[in-house]
Amino acid sequence: MRLPALLLLFAIALPAAAQKQAACPYAAWKSGFQGDARAQATCLLRPVQRYARLGASAPLPAFLASRVGQRTDIAPATLRAYLAAQGISEADAGGAIDAPLSRATGRLVAPVARYFVIHDTSYPNFLAEPIPAHINDASWDFNDFTVRNPALGGGPKGHVYVNRLGASLQVRDFGTPGYASKLEKDKPSLTGLFLHVELVQPRNSVPGGGKGNDGLAPDPGFTPAQYERLALLYVAASVRKGTWLIPAFHAVLDTGYANGHDDPQNFSLAQWDAVLSHLSTVIQGAGAPN
């Protein structure tokens, strides 16, 4: 998504071939996409490659395959106890654990949020300069939300931002509707169905790819700490929903739209799934009687 002020995203125009990729089949009558939750997640999590070209769908990894669309098996009180034990505020997890999620706007019967959308900020863009070696350290400005605050400025924003140290900043509670994709901008009645999480990731320009482009991401794209906090945010949102949300990549939602976005780049679904599995077990163990 395009970010405001100090965290501005310089999106690149997509080649025509990328714009012609098939979008996940949309079903207006169900305020979402066709198929059951697993089928939707399989389509919405297609690998995102450079210039927003999408890889082929693949079977979901084990944790997501067995959970998406199913009732959560973690009680709000159990999650709250885990957060307290870890010293993590509920605000940093997207809001109060027992509060309702956002609902779609402009509907007589407004459905509750269904989708958990993963973005990267694609910022800062170092252009032709090397990405600094210390981007995963506390000394990097963009890991300090008091210095580089994405809440400043106008324009669409994600709900929660996660820096490369795994710290999170809530810009909008998961209970508050807000759009952050071209799909929602085109179909405003969908706003509220999607929860948006931005992972801080710098970029470089692809040589010969056009002036100012931001097509080259670091590899690996994200840190273990980012996967851990992203997993916690997904668990927290799903506990609030009562069922495991359908995860999606921003670029897949933007498929077919001119100047669509190309994030997240170099995201390891397998690594995130493994973290989710471990975190779920740990949280449930924290709530078990002694």
Side-chain angles (χ1 to χ4, degrees):
M1 62 180 283
R2 286 180 171 80
L3 303 180
L6 295 175
L7 206 56
L8 177 66
L9 167 66
F10 294 103
I12 57 175
L14 302 183
Q19 294 186 21
K20 292 180 180 178
Q21 296 177 119
C24 295
Y26 178 73
W29 59 271
K30 66 181 296 185
S31 298
F33 299 89
Q34 293 180 13
D36 61 18
R38 186 185 298 183
Q40 292 182 56
T42 300
C43 186
L44 292 167
L45 290 173
R46 284 176 288 171
V48 181
Q49 301 167 354
R50 192 178 298 175
Y51 298 127
R53 295 185 179 95
L54 302 180
S57 295
L60 294 176
F63 183 88
L64 289 173
S66 64
R67 300 301 200 285
V68 168
Q70 303 299 311
R71 291 192 61 81
T72 52
D73 48 2
I74 300 172
T78 299
L79 178 56
R80 176 169 281 138
Y82 171 81
L83 292 174
Q86 298 299 312
I88 300 171
S89 73
E90 293 183 32
D92 287 343
I97 297 305
D98 53 3
L101 294 181
S102 63
R103 289 181 175 268
T105 59
R107 300 295 182 92
L108 291 176
V109 180
V112 177
R114 296 171 177 165
Y115 302 95
F116 182 89
V117 186
I118 302 167
H119 303 245
D120 75 57
T121 61
S122 306
Y123 187 83
N125 183 1
F126 290 96
L127 302 174
E129 297 297 320
I131 292 176
H134 68 294
I135 61 169
N136 298 336
D137 299 338
S139 59
W140 191 50
D141 280 358
F142 290 85
N143 286 325
D144 186 344
F145 288 130
T146 66
V147 175
R148 304 288 183 175
N149 190 335
L152 300 177
K157 305 176 182 70
H159 286 84
V160 181
Y161 287 73
V162 180
N163 68 23
R164 300 186 71 80
L165 304 178
S168 52
L169 173 70
Q170 180 198 123
V171 174
R172 181 184 288 115
D173 188 287
F174 281 152
T176 303
Y179 83 90
S181 71
K182 290 183 177 292
L183 174 67
E184 295 159 285
K185 187 174 182 180
D186 182 48
K187 305 179 190 303
S189 64
L190 297 182
T191 300
L193 287 180
F194 299 84
L195 307 179
H196 298 277
V197 176
E198 290 272 359
L199 304 174
V200 172
Q201 182 193 76
R203 295 289 185 95
N204 277 136
S205 293
V206 176
K211 184 178 180 180
N213 80 79
D214 64 355
L216 193 60
D219 189 7
F222 306 99
T223 66
Q226 283 182 300
Y227 286 116
E228 289 168 10
R229 184 51 57 96
L230 183 68
L232 179 62
L233 291 166
Y234 177 69
V235 169
S238 296
V239 167
R240 287 173 66 171
K241 166 84 171 184
T243 58
W244 294 97
L245 295 171
I246 299 170
F249 291 147
H250 182 196
V252 183
L253 294 184
D254 274 2
T255 301
Y257 290 98
N259 295 320
H261 293 79
D262 68 342
D263 58 306
Q265 287 283 309
N266 297 330
F267 185 93
S268 173
L269 191 59
Q271 186 173 347
W272 187 50
D273 189 81
V275 173
L276 278 169
S277 179
H278 176 72
L279 179 63
S280 175
T281 300
V282 169
I283 291 173
Q284 288 173 315
N290 293 326

